[in-house]
Amino acid sequence: MAGNKQQAQNQAKIFSRRAMILGGMQATLVGSLIARLYYLQVIESEKYRLLADENRINLRLLPPSRGLILDRFGVPLAANFPNYRAILVAEQTKDLEQTLGDFARLVPLTERERTKVMRELKRNRAFTPIPVKEDLSWEQMSQVELNLPELPGISIEEDQKRYYPFAGLTAHILGYVQTASESEVAADPDPLLTLPGFRIGRNGLERTYDSSLRGSAGKSEIEVNSVGRIIRQLSRVEGKAGADLVTTIDIGLQEFAQQRIAAEQSCSSVVMDIFSGEILAMASTPSFDPASFYRGISSDEWRMLNTDMFRPLTNKTISDGYAPGSTFKIVTTMAAQQAGISPNFSVFCPGFYTFGPMRLHCWKKEGHGHVSMTDALKHSCDVYYYDIAKRVGIDAIAEMARKFGLGTVTGIDLPGENSGVIPDQAWKIGTLGEKWYPGETLVAGIGQGFIQTTPLQLCLMTARVANGGYAITPRLFKRYGASGGAAGTGDLAANAGLAEGAAPKMDVNPNHLAIIRRGMDLVTNDQRGTAYRRRIDIPGMEMAGKTGTSQVRRITMAERATGVRKNEDLPWPQRDHALFVAYAPVHQPRYAISVVIEHGGGGSTFAAPIARDILIECQRRDPARRNPNDEGGRREMP
């Protein structure tokens, strides 16, 4: 009995110890749970409240309104229109293909659009809204809205689309906007670029001033349920609209100039204020419709534009280089005077110039006889310029050309400017590895050979002659509009050197410029001048100019013996370029112009009439002359 009692006591002790151990373990576990709950619900409550809110609240970036681009009188050149579009959030639908198929039965989707949507879905996170179809009509939007329950992940939103009221008339100046590429998104820290379908400036002023036109993003907090459907908008902060950009362009003159050159297959013209450098019109034909790039240009359209021999995508005023022909004689005349050659210096022109074994011909087969400096400009005598070019030398001619803005970028606020070519001895050795030959100097003296200039450079050269030798910089920026933001740090418009009156004085003799202006006056206003028949005969609007015809092929001695073929008998690519530069009015210069017709023939016959008509319209539209009560008589913005 005593043994059994002892055994029972031992078992009780063992049970008690085990119970205590189990109880202690339970107490420890319960204490740990309580401590963890306290940590999570009290100490870390703010953190997990935020995580819960993030699961419940979606934060979306809101694209700002892109700044307008206006002409000098406030006429919109690039504006924004409401755009209703369908968007898709991938995580809100279980079957993307079925959703897109159901949507396509309501609103047709091309194979290209469907491919683009799938590509964007792969590039972005599942919660990012992807544009499916833009620019929906009211009927299409209504159809989608009525069927939203059967279109999981699809919703309608309103944003803005870029609109160019004047289409091809301003395409080369404004450029266009287009969706940012993956490389651009990676390189630019602006969160706006992460928005699918967000567009940035791709060319022209849209590109140059993109950072200012773009604005800054807003944000919207949206409460959603467990399946991602929007319940309500909790807050909304609109983005800061982009700056409105006022340009120097006079859209009335731009329209006139573009239409005036439209009959030519490939032509360009620039009109500039000779004192401020403001570009009033910059026309290039053929042109293109920038809306094609906004909506997404097709491969067929792109191929057609790129293979067109007349290059509609190219702004010929700044990107194409042409031999300036006789318009370059302005520079050669200045270089000759700088070298000490008197304006009274006379040369006899028999119709050709002999230089060693070479015989260089004047454009006038029978010759001009004895000509002085102003006579040489008036008649555009090649022999005179062969002679003085030989005396002056290529290096002096090249130095003078650069003073007038040739052979270097002008600094205009457009991308893609061509610097052109002004050759000298060092250039030929460095570029071609060959020495310069004296005969090449004679050819350069009449604007042929290696020389290449842009229409903008020729207009700038003319402006610097007409303004008395001030090194103005051409520009399209006038100011930012009152409703817009500040300039971006990288914008060219921030350069203080663009301010009117800030142009430095050139190191040229004013008397030499006066001789040039006198000769250009005779070109158009003397009965024996090469452009007399194209003169402006309206009192107070007369122009002074210089003709130019630039050869693009070599005329052999055999062809000269049998008769040089006329331009109209040659294939288009072998025809001469037609050029003309001018300023007006003659006695109080204000405007300069250049016209280049690619393979257009004679400058006096074809380019001069265009310049004349544009200069007349330019002076008629001068704000100082116009009645503000007349139609189109908008006052210039202060």
Side-chain angles (χ1 to χ4, degrees):
M1 293 292 292
N4 289 338
K5 187 176 181 180
Q6 183 65 39
Q7 184 178 3
Q9 289 176 346
N10 291 338
Q11 289 177 344
K13 290 179 179 179
I14 293 171
F15 179 79
S16 297
R17 286 197 300 270
R18 289 178 177 174
M20 289 179 64
I21 292 171
L22 288 173
M25 292 175 64
Q26 289 175 344
T28 301
L29 180 61
V30 171
S32 297
L33 288 173
I34 292 172
R36 182 61 178 167
L37 287 172
Y38 179 82
Y39 175 79
L40 293 175
Q41 295 186 10
V42 179
I43 298 176
E44 291 288 292
S45 61
E46 192 63 33
K47 172 184 176 181
Y48 287 99
R49 184 180 295 112
L50 179 62
L51 289 174
D53 284 343
E54 287 179 347
N55 287 330
R56 181 174 61 90
I57 299 171
N58 283 349
L59 182 64
R60 293 185 180 180
L61 289 177
L62 299 176
S65 176
R66 190 170 179 87
L68 308 182
I69 302 179
L70 312 168
D71 92 329
R72 65 191 300 114
F73 301 109
V75 179
L77 307 180
N80 304 309
F81 265 32
N83 172 37
Y84 295 99
R85 63 179 185 171
I87 60 172
L88 170 64
V89 179
E91 67 178 5
Q92 295 177 6
T93 180
K94 295 180 180 179
D95 191 332
L96 287 170
E97 290 291 345
Q98 182 178 343
T99 298
L100 287 175
D102 292 341
F103 178 84
R105 280 190 283 274
L106 300 172
V107 180
L109 283 178
T110 65
E111 189 60 35
R112 181 168 168 269
E113 289 173 328
R114 188 188 292 263
T115 302
K116 182 180 178 181
V117 171
M118 298 307 294
R119 183 174 66 248
E120 289 295 326
L121 287 169
K122 292 178 182 178
R123 285 175 51 186
N124 294 276
R125 297 181 180 180
F127 57 80
T128 303
I130 303 299
V132 177
K133 185 80 173 183
E134 301 207 39
D135 203 17
L136 296 175
S137 67
W138 186 261
E139 291 75 15
Q140 290 173 329
M141 184 179 65
S142 301
Q143 283 291 317
V144 174
E145 289 279 7
L146 287 172
N147 289 274
L148 281 181
E150 287 74 44
L151 298 170
I154 295 286
S155 61
I156 298 293
E157 72 172 19
E158 179 185 352
D159 69 349
Q160 294 182 330
K161 67 177 180 179
R162 201 61 161 170
Y163 171 61
Y164 301 98
F166 296 94
L169 293 177
T170 56
H172 292 116
I173 299 171
L174 303 181
Y176 51 89
V177 293
Q178 202 171 35
T179 306
S181 65
E182 290 186 44
S183 60
E184 287 167 329
V185 173
D188 194 325
D190 190 341
L192 278 172
L193 270 66
T194 63
L195 289 173
F198 184 78
R199 292 170 172 85
I200 60 174
R202 186 66 72 196
N203 209 342
L205 293 176
E206 292 276 28
R207 176 177 171 181
T208 301
Y209 296 102
D210 181 66
S211 60
S212 295
L213 292 167
R214 188 187 300 176
S216 56
K219 63 179 180 179
S220 173
E221 289 185 332
I222 305 294
E223 184 178 3
V224 297
N225 61 19
S226 59
V227 296
R229 188 171 296 279
I230 296 175
I231 299 174
R232 61 190 173 118
Q233 181 174 268
L234 300 177
S235 67
R236 183 182 180 93
V237 179
E238 297 293 344
K240 185 178 181 181
D244 291 344
L245 178 66
V246 180
T247 71
T248 64
I249 292 295
D250 176 345
I251 189 57
L253 182 62
Q254 174 71 21
E255 187 170 14
F256 182 91
Q258 194 76 32
Q259 291 175 350
R260 183 61 182 83
I261 70 173
E264 305 298 335
Q265 292 172 309
S266 183
C267 183
S268 57
S269 179
V270 182
V271 182
M272 181 188 303
D273 185 302
I274 67 170
F275 297 112
S276 67
E278 292 183 353
I279 302 296
L280 304 179
M282 177 179 276
S284 178
T285 190
S287 189
F288 64 95
D289 186 358
S292 300
F293 292 89
Y294 181 89
R295 64 175 178 263
I297 192 167
S298 68
S299 56
D300 289 339
E301 284 181 281
W302 179 252
R303 189 181 307 109
M304 181 180 66
L305 289 171
N306 269 290
T307 56
D308 190 322
M309 66 181 294
F310 302 119
R311 294 164 292 110
L313 293 176
T314 301
N315 183 354
K316 297 177 174 67
T317 63
I318 65 168
S319 297
D320 275 0
Y322 306 92
S326 293
T327 62
F328 190 76
K329 291 172 181 175
I330 292 171
V331 168
T332 308
T333 304
M334 283 296 297
Q337 293 182 92
Q338 183 73 25
I341 297 177
S342 168
N344 296 322
F345 176 74
S346 177
V347 171
F348 180 75
C349 170
F352 60 89
Y353 187 83
T354 303
F355 183 72
M358 299 171 57
R359 172 173 280 196
L360 303 173
H361 294 267
C362 186
W363 69 268
K364 189 174 182 181
K365 187 175 182 180
E366 61 273 22
H368 293 97
H370 289 281
V371 289
S372 64
M373 190 170 283
T374 52
D375 288 335
L377 278 170
K378 178 176 68 176
H379 297 301
S380 197
C381 176
D382 293 331
V383 168
Y384 185 91
Y385 288 96
Y386 294 143
D387 189 275
I388 64 172
K390 181 187 70 172
R391 296 170 186 270
V392 174
I394 187 58
D395 289 345
I397 293 173
E399 181 183 359
M400 185 60 68
R402 295 184 186 109
K403 286 183 180 180
F404 282 88
L406 308 182
T408 184
V409 292
T410 66
I412 192 170
D413 41 346
L414 285 178
E417 185 181 7
N418 181 357
S419 65
V421 176
I422 294 296
D424 54 21
Q425 296 185 69
W427 173 87
K428 191 178 181 189
I429 292 173
T431 305
L432 303 178
E434 301 174 1
K435 71 174 184 177
W436 185 269
Y437 294 101
E440 293 172 324
T441 301
L442 276 63
V443 174
I446 63 167
Q448 297 278 174
F450 296 111
I451 299 177
Q452 293 283 297
T453 58
T454 67
L456 176 62
Q457 289 174 338
L458 293 177
C459 187
L460 180 61
M461 172 192 74
T462 307
R464 290 181 177 181
V465 168
N467 70 19
Y470 286 90
I472 58 169
T473 298
R475 60 187 174 104
L476 287 158
F477 173 87
K478 192 168 181 66
R479 66 175 179 84
Y480 284 109
S483 62
T489 55
D491 286 345
L492 297 179
N495 183 350
L498 292 182
E500 186 170 349
K505 194 78 168 68
M506 296 165 57
D507 182 22
V508 293
N509 189 322
N511 295 326
H512 298 169
L513 290 172
I515 294 296
I516 300 293
R517 290 195 294 270
R518 173 58 181 159
M520 294 176 69
D521 185 4
L522 294 173
V523 167
T524 53
N525 298 307
D526 185 282
Q527 291 186 2
R528 294 176 297 172
T530 54
Y532 177 72
R533 289 185 297 173
R534 317 301 177 189
R535 69 192 182 281
I536 297 176
D537 57 5
I538 302 172
M541 288 191 181
E542 297 89 347
M543 70 176 179
K546 183 69 192 79
T547 55
T549 303
S550 172
Q551 287 182 203
V552 298
R553 69 186 185 97
R554 184 176 180 273
I555 301 175
T556 64
M557 293 299 293
E559 185 178 346
R560 289 192 182 277
T562 57
V564 178
R565 287 185 293 171
K566 295 181 179 180
N567 260 277
E568 54 267 29
D569 297 330
L570 294 168
W572 186 79
Q574 294 182 21
R575 297 176 185 176
D576 299 337
H577 297 319
L579 305 95
F580 190 75
V581 297
Y583 65 86
V586 168
H587 302 297
Q588 288 185 316
R590 180 65 189 274
Y591 306 109
I593 189 172
S594 67
V595 174
V596 178
I597 307 176
E598 195 170 336
H599 306 296
S604 62
T605 304
F606 299 101
I610 293 175
R612 174 199 61 203
D613 294 347
I614 295 175
L615 275 180
I616 291 173
E617 181 67 13
C618 177
Q619 293 177 87
R620 282 177 174 166
R621 294 185 60 82
D622 189 321
R625 299 171 183 269
R626 288 161 48 197
N627 183 343
N629 296 320
D630 290 342
E631 183 180 354
R634 296 175 293 270
R635 288 190 181 274
E636 185 172 349
M637 299 172 68

